[in-house]
Amino acid sequence: MRFRTKITNTPVFVPLVQSLEKISKLWILRLTPRKIHTIIPKNSSSNSAENGHIQVWGEINVDSIFDEYTLTSNNNNEICLELNGENFARALKSSIPTGNLSSGQASWTSGVDMRLSTIDKQPVLIISLTGHSRAGGDVDLIQYVPVRVLSVSEQEELKEPLIADPQARKYHEYLLFFLKLSGKQERMKAMSGFLTVSANLNGQLVLKIKTDKVRVETTYIGLTNPEIAQTQVGDSQHANRNRDPLQFAEVRVDIKDFLRFVHSHQMNPVTVVCCILEGFGLAFYVFLGTDGEDTAGTLVYYIPQRKE
């Protein structure tokens, strides 16, 4: 097997990696000819607490992030790697310019080279940069991220949650700009371990906690309700046709899982859509890109319902 590429769009890719690192120590990088998939599955060894936890399934378009992309394998030219997100994020962080070279930081002259190799029988991702030091000399920075190559049978066990079953649940979508949510929800976490998210088709979204001693609500108004594609739901289940616009759908989730999702603001997404899956949980669709165009890729965060 062989994999090699140059990361040319670090402002999108590096924050993505840093965001995922805050959710799970171990996650999966699935390489395919046209897309790179980032996966934090339910059965991740660091994501297996009682009652389930947040899952993340993302796909990044190769052409929007990478250049000189080479990938070959005996498994339909696909490679699946398990890696330590903290190590991966630390290696990539060096490629982000700080705008201050007074500390001796190098000025990198090219994109980040990334390739799969083996050192002492251990598979590794080798991440290298070339540039100039403040003194004008050449600088080469090479970092190694150990990985584990998943077998074909292990890859087949990776199953993304199925949510587009209108007979099992109703769901409603909301455009949500959440860049200012983190501080408020951090304060809520000190009061309760659970958060109830509710919304209606009138553009209202409510985040609330309720305990024997305290009740706190944060309400957002004027949000956009995207249309649900007719191919996803039949006439009898189409939320925009059959639901009272003022009627709220709601779900209760672990507030820590919600805050892990909020860290995705580091990626500076173009658009975020929240789906409330009554009786099941939340699904957040985070669209990535540059210049206002969501062309780089999409991450889907699945947060399971937590019962009383």
Side-chain angles (χ1 to χ4, degrees):
M1 68 179 66
R2 185 184 180 204
F3 167 65
R4 184 168 194 150
T5 191
K6 185 183 293 291
I7 307 172
T8 55
N9 194 347
T10 54
V12 170
F13 188 66
V14 176
L16 182 156
V17 172
Q18 293 174 327
S19 176
L20 294 178
E21 179 266 326
K22 296 181 183 301
I23 295 176
S24 177
K25 293 182 179 179
L26 292 178
W27 46 277
I28 293 168
L29 198 65
R30 180 171 171 250
L31 311 171
T32 70
R34 295 188 177 182
K35 295 181 183 291
I36 285 186
H37 301 258
T38 56
I39 304 171
I40 299 178
K42 182 178 180 179
N43 59 353
S44 171
S45 59
S46 60
N47 194 22
S48 57
E50 185 179 357
N51 297 327
H53 270 302
I54 186 172
Q55 299 184 56
V56 184
W57 293 74
E59 57 179 41
I60 307 301
N61 298 320
V62 166
D63 293 342
S64 66
I65 304 289
F66 308 97
D67 196 10
E68 301 175 19
Y69 187 86
T70 301
L71 174 67
T72 58
S73 78
N74 294 328
N75 182 30
N76 298 317
N77 290 329
E78 295 185 5
I79 301 174
C80 213
L81 307 173
E82 183 183 66
L83 52 79
N84 182 296
E86 183 178 0
N87 293 341
F88 194 37
R90 186 185 300 116
L92 291 173
K93 184 179 180 180
S94 303
S95 66
I96 303 178
T98 64
N100 179 12
L101 300 182
S102 60
S103 61
Q105 180 194 24
S107 174
W108 307 117
T109 58
S110 63
V112 182
D113 290 315
M114 182 168 64
R115 62 187 175 93
L116 181 63
S117 186
T118 302
I119 299 178
D120 296 330
K121 299 182 179 181
Q122 166 67 55
V124 295
L125 279 176
I126 300 178
I127 298 172
S128 57
L129 301 95
T130 301
H132 303 293
S133 68
R134 188 173 177 229
D138 293 336
V139 176
D140 292 318
L141 176 63
I142 301 175
Q143 301 181 81
Y144 304 91
V145 179
V147 298
R148 185 175 72 87
V149 180
L150 271 63
S151 66
V152 174
S153 60
E154 287 178 307
Q155 295 181 45
E156 292 175 346
E157 292 177 358
L158 296 173
K159 303 295 184 182
E160 184 171 2
L162 297 176
I163 65 172
D165 181 0
Q167 301 302 322
R169 70 216 66 143
K170 297 178 181 178
Y171 64 93
H172 315 283
E173 301 184 0
Y174 303 88
L175 182 63
L176 170 62
F177 295 100
F178 58 90
L179 297 181
K180 298 181 180 180
L181 291 181
S182 182
K184 294 180 180 180
Q185 286 7 284
E186 284 286 356
R187 292 192 292 271
M188 284 186 173
K189 184 178 69 172
M191 305 175 195
S192 175
F194 302 98
L195 175 73
T196 298
V197 180
S198 60
N200 62 23
L201 294 173
N202 195 39
Q204 295 174 293
L205 175 72
V206 180
L207 307 177
K208 61 184 177 183
I209 62 170
K210 182 179 179 181
T211 68
D212 294 338
K213 297 182 179 180
V214 65
R215 179 186 178 98
V216 178
E217 292 189 5
T218 302
T219 301
Y220 299 85
I221 62 175
L223 304 181
T224 302
N225 296 94
E227 287 289 331
I228 300 175
Q230 190 63 36
T231 55
Q232 291 181 286
V233 293
D235 289 339
S236 64
Q237 296 290 332
H238 200 291
N240 288 7
R241 294 182 180 180
N242 296 327
R243 194 178 187 94
D244 181 348
L246 298 179
Q247 181 182 354
F248 279 85
E250 71 174 33
V251 67
R252 182 176 183 260
V253 298
D254 189 317
I255 195 169
K256 292 181 181 179
D257 285 342
F258 184 84
L259 289 172
R260 292 185 183 103
F261 152 71
V262 170
H263 283 304
S264 63
H265 75 82
Q266 295 180 349
M267 296 181 285
N268 195 23
V270 175
T271 303
V272 179
V273 175
C274 170
C275 296
I276 296 180
L277 313 170
E278 293 182 287
F280 290 84
L282 296 172
F284 287 98
Y285 292 79
V286 178
F287 296 88
L288 305 178
T290 55
D291 299 324
E293 299 291 334
D294 55 350
T295 56
T298 307
L299 276 76
V300 186
Y301 292 71
Y302 298 97
I303 303 179
Q305 172 182 264
R306 301 302 291 270
K307 297 182 180 180
E308 297 284 351

